[in-house]
Amino acid sequence: MDNETATQDWYSEETATFGDRLAAARDVAQLTQKELAQRVGIKTSTLRNWEEDLSEPRANRLSILCGILGVSLRWLLTAEGEGLLAPDEDAPIAPDVSAMLTELRAVRAQMKQSTERLALLEKRLRMMGTA
């Protein structure tokens, strides 16, 4: 597998979320959440929510993030285009750590689905109240 393929696999939409790519780019830029939030002009809790995939930034904030972190908008959103290199493939990841990362991603995906379902239910309830 060549380096570009490894990079795409490491950060691909199947492997990593938007929040994962954002956090990785922030780490590579050697910025804390607080430092990046200040540079973007947002609260640290807002950035934390983005990194945890609980919310997403608006287009203007995405553009600022990409400029500060040195990645393309396309990479940050889809893992395609100019972005980060995959971590050293030779560095071993302990099986328990790998399993935990897989479980974390699964829980994050469940949370996102639950959040979307909750939003739809709230919308239906509001519509019922106005009918």
Side-chain angles (χ1 to χ4, degrees):
M1 178 175 354
D2 64 22
N3 192 37
E4 185 174 334
T5 303
T7 299
Q8 288 175 345
D9 288 347
W10 182 263
Y11 293 111
S12 72
E13 289 196 53
E14 294 81 27
T15 308
T17 64
F18 165 81
D20 293 332
R21 288 187 291 276
L22 176 58
R26 179 181 54 75
D27 286 342
V28 168
Q30 298 180 336
L31 294 169
T32 65
Q33 284 183 335
K34 182 178 181 179
E35 291 168 336
L36 181 56
Q38 287 174 338
R39 291 182 67 178
V40 176
I42 58 172
K43 294 179 182 179
T44 304
S45 60
T46 300
L47 179 63
R48 188 177 314 111
N49 285 340
W50 294 348
E51 289 187 359
E52 293 175 1
D53 294 301
L54 299 175
S55 63
E56 295 178 353
R58 293 188 178 133
N60 62 332
R61 299 291 188 202
L62 279 169
S63 178
I64 294 168
L65 284 168
C66 292
I68 293 169
L69 299 174
V71 297
S72 72
L73 177 63
R74 185 173 175 212
W75 180 84
L76 195 56
L77 294 174
T78 67
E80 296 176 6
E82 295 292 319
L84 303 178
L85 296 177
D88 184 4
E89 293 294 323
D90 297 330
I93 297 177
D96 56 337
V97 172
S98 180
M100 190 177 294
L101 287 171
T102 300
E103 188 174 350
L104 280 169
R105 287 186 179 115
V107 168
R108 186 177 289 152
Q110 289 173 345
M111 287 175 58
K112 185 175 181 180
Q113 287 176 335
S114 294
T115 301
E116 290 170 355
R117 186 172 174 207
L118 180 61
L120 286 172
L121 289 170
E122 288 176 344
K123 183 178 179 180
R124 286 177 46 200
L125 187 59
R126 279 194 303 273
M127 291 176 67
M128 291 174 79
T130 60

